[in-house]
Amino acid sequence: MDQDVSEAVLVEKNLFPSIGETDLVDKNHSAYQKEAVLEDKTKDNQKSGEEQQFTFCEFHDESQLKVLQSLIDKELSEPYSIYTYRYFVYNWPDLCFFALDGDRFVGVIVCKMEETMEGVQIGYIAMLAVEVEYRKRGIGKALSEMAIETMAMKDAAMISLETELTNKPALALYQSLGFIRERRLLRYYMNGVDAFRLKLVLHDSSMLPLSED
């Protein structure tokens, strides 16, 4: 799925204190922030000087499930069943964030966290999607930063994800957030496209599981 990789300035309101474990997370950004103004850096809005305000919220209940599914299914190279979505949002509802323009849901990120046998918390970004007409406004980056900071606050030592080899906007977004390429996964998707597995190490790298060959 394409990602929103434009430069944006996040103007915070009523922020909780931010964490200090990693310099990869914006120190002025909180996962519990509910409102933000994203200053659009696209050419059109540079001319007009307009600012677009979006709100962000966590997943709450079943009524949001079809909205989530609709946002993501538009962008996927392979569809997920409703049970896949339920697996994530009911086990980790506090790691699913929506972006809204008024009452309209325009973006979503879905993540999870699990503990290894060594007791290390590992985060995972499973899905990220932004409506086509809302890209290049910083929404994808803001959602990613919220997810990263929330997992860091929950003591995640590392966050990983997979994205298509051909998805250059997604690769650019995640690399701008500090992710590095761990390995290439051949024919990872049902459409036959390879994937890159990316990882963001937050702390305690000596305790992290070794990557597979």
Side-chain angles (χ1 to χ4, degrees), residues 18-49:
S18 185
I19 59 170
E21 283 90 342
T22 172
D23 291 334
L24 298 174
V25 178
D26 184 351
K27 297 298 189 296
N28 292 319
H29 190 282
S30 170
Y32 297 100
Q33 177 179 332
K34 297 304 180 186
E35 293 189 7
V37 176
L38 297 177
E39 182 182 340
D40 196 335
K41 294 295 185 178
T42 59
K43 292 182 179 179
D44 290 342
N45 279 8
Q46 281 181 338
K47 293 178 181 178
S48 66

Side-chain angles (χ1 to χ4, degrees), residues 1 77-78 161-168 170-171 181 183-198:
M1 65 190 76
S77 57
E78 53 189 84
L161 60 93
E162 293 88 28
T163 190
E164 289 187 359
L165 176 75
T166 55
N167 194 338
K168 293 182 179 180
L171 290 170
R181 298 180 186 183
R183 61 180 300 215
R184 181 169 176 168
L185 306 171
L186 300 178
R187 301 181 65 82
Y188 182 77
Y189 295 101
M190 291 177 64
N191 60 5
V193 175
D194 294 355
F196 278 124
R197 177 167 294 152
L198 308 180

